[in-house]
């Protein structure tokens, strides 16, 4: 699937639809009107409800293999031209396995879904709870939690530190929120300690990762009472992270270098962009496994 956020400009949605060569477009009446001249078969959820009602409710028989595509998520990139990151089923299963080991069923019982479906965090917010019997609590954005009718059901929040600051200011973190995942921006220890002091939250995690590695790559649980600034932690399960210099040699402790990522979460490629794929997805010369690859994030980091 290719997620299309109805709030996006029509030109951008049209590009994503055509670039991905999607065979079908599932949408509502409003989007159907704007994209009705496209080549994809149109399934209008407002007018074609019988199409769904006619389907069998038996388990779907699937021939999908681990190496088949799960979804393509488009990122803007520095050039402004969206590029589709092709994620395989095994990448998603790897990520969900990590999520189920890292978070309890109680923590995943009510996950706030406030991220656009066009961002890779939506993979966690949708599939992590659904695959362990939890519920998705939809919100227009994180700050919507302050007036949300189901706020008391939220047990886990994924957001960025700046939005978390706003939630604390509004007193919007409900009494049943057990865990908060923060990513996307630098995290200050002072914010974490404020969360612990003003809420019932038991765990705060600082997480890092690009779309090209299926949402999260590294993470750390920031401890209550800590006095040091959070790091981005260590690689999650079945993930390896190298910090290299311009010659792709490992840098010493304390020296900054480019973060390169490999492992089971690594995307297949940039869709229909072979030159860009070859530039950013490179052979892993540091691995003994034939065919191993790394993704060059362009981010700088250093070992402590």
């Amino acid at each position: 699937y290719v997620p299309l956020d109805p709030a996006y400009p029509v030109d951008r949605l049209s590009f994503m639809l055509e670039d991905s060569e999607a065979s079908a477009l599932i949408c509502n009446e409003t989007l159907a009107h704007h994209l009705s001249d496209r080549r994809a078969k149109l399934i209008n959820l407002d007018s074609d409800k019988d199409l769904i009602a006619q389907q069998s409710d038996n388990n779907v028989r699937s021939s999908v293999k681990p190496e088949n595509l799960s979804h393509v998520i488009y990122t803007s990139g520095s050039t402004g031209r969206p590029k589709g990151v092709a994620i395989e089923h095994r990448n998603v299963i790897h990520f969900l396995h990590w999520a189920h080991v890292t978070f309890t069923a109680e923590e995943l019982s009510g996950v706030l879904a406030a991220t656009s479906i066009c961002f890779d965090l939506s993979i966690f917010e949708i599939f992590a709870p659904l695959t362990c019997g939890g519920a998705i609590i939809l919100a227009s954005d994180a700050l919507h939690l302050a007036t949300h009718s189901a706020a008391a059901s939220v047990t886990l929040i994924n957001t960025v530190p700046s939005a978390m600051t706003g939630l604390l200011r509004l007193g919007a973190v409900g009494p049943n929120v057990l865990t908060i995942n923060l990513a996307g921006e630098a995290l200050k220890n002072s914010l974490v300690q404020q969360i612990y002091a003003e809420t019932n939250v038991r765990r705060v995690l600082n997480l890092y990762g690009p779309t090209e590695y299926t949402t999260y790559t590294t993470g750390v649980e920031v401890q209550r009472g800590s006095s040091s600034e959070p790091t981005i932690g260590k690689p999650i399960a079945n993930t390896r992270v190298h910090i290299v210099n311009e010659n792709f040699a490992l840098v010493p402790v304390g020296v900054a270098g480019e973060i390169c990522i490999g492992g089971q979460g690594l995307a297949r490629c940039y869709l229909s962009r072979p030159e860009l794929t070859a530039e950013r997805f490179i052979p892993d010369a540091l691995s003994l496994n034939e065919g191993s690859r790394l993704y060059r994030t362009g981010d700088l980091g250093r070992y402590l």
Side-chain angles (χ1 to χ4, degrees):
Y1 72 94
V2 179
L4 302 175
D5 189 331
Y8 276 23
V10 172
D11 288 347
R12 183 178 174 91
L13 294 177
S14 297
F15 172 84
M16 294 159 65
L17 191 60
E18 293 173 2
D19 185 70
S20 64
E21 299 182 0
S23 58
L25 172 64
I26 304 173
C27 61
N28 60 14
E29 187 69 41
T30 301
L31 200 57
H33 174 73
H34 289 302
L35 300 175
S36 59
D37 60 339
R38 307 303 166 185
R39 290 173 294 178
K41 176 184 177 182
L42 182 65
I43 300 173
N44 186 331
L45 294 179
D46 290 328
S47 61
D48 297 334
K49 294 179 180 178
D50 289 343
L51 285 174
I52 295 176
Q54 293 168 4
Q55 303 305 310
S56 169
D57 59 3
N58 294 327
N59 285 339
V60 176
R61 299 185 65 178
S62 173
S63 59
V64 170
K65 296 180 173 61
E67 64 271 19
N68 290 151
L69 282 185
S70 162
H71 59 275
V72 174
I73 286 186
Y74 279 82
T75 64
S76 58
S78 57
T79 63
R81 177 190 173 191
K83 54 184 186 292
V85 180
I87 302 292
E88 298 178 349
H89 280 270
R90 56 185 166 192
N91 304 144
V92 180
I93 296 303
H94 143 81
F95 177 62
L96 293 178
H97 173 74
W98 167 81
H100 293 161
V101 169
T102 305
F103 304 98
T104 66
E106 183 185 15
E107 288 174 300
L108 295 173
S109 63
V111 174
L112 181 68
T115 305
S116 165
I117 59 171
C118 287
F119 290 110
D120 59 341
L121 182 53
S122 64
I123 306 303
F124 182 100
E125 293 180 339
I126 295 171
F127 297 115
L130 288 186
T131 48
C132 70
I136 305 171
I137 299 166
L138 297 171
S140 55
D141 57 59
L143 297 182
H144 180 197
L145 189 59
T147 56
H148 203 298
S149 60
S153 299
V154 175
T155 57
L156 187 148
I157 298 172
N158 296 287
T159 191
V160 294
S162 56
M164 190 65 232
T165 300
L167 288 173
L168 290 174
R169 184 174 62 251
L170 295 170
V173 180
N176 295 317
V177 176
L178 303 173
T179 302
I180 292 177
N181 293 336
L182 297 172
E185 300 168 359
L187 175 61
K188 294 292 186 181
N189 180 59
S190 58
L191 176 59
V192 176
Q193 301 311 317
Q194 184 184 0
I195 293 170
Y196 283 132
E198 298 180 7
T199 72
N200 294 330
V201 168
R202 301 175 189 170
R203 296 207 296 160
V204 177
L205 280 76
N206 191 33
L207 296 153
Y208 160 82
T211 302
E212 290 83 351
Y213 197 80
T214 318
T215 310
Y216 291 143
T217 303
T218 70
V220 64
E221 181 175 337
V222 186
Q223 299 300 311
R224 183 189 300 268
S226 172
S227 59
S228 58
E229 294 301 329
T231 70
I232 61 169
K234 296 181 179 181
I236 68 172
N238 299 311
T239 298
R240 59 188 184 277
V241 173
H242 302 307
I243 303 180
V244 301
N245 60 23
E246 62 274 11
N247 297 316
F248 294 99
L250 295 177
V251 297
V253 170
V255 176
E258 182 177 6
I259 299 174
C260 294
I261 302 165
Q264 293 299 314
L266 189 62
R268 176 190 294 181
C269 63
Y270 290 121
L271 191 69
S272 303
R273 304 279 292 274
E275 292 183 359
L276 185 58
T277 296
E279 175 188 331
R280 301 299 293 275
F281 293 85
I282 62 173
D284 183 1
L286 299 168
S287 173
L288 298 177
N289 296 323
E290 185 177 353
S292 290
R293 300 178 302 144
L294 292 173
Y295 171 68
R296 298 184 59 185
T297 66
D299 294 334
L300 294 179
R302 59 187 174 90
Y303 298 113
L304 296 184

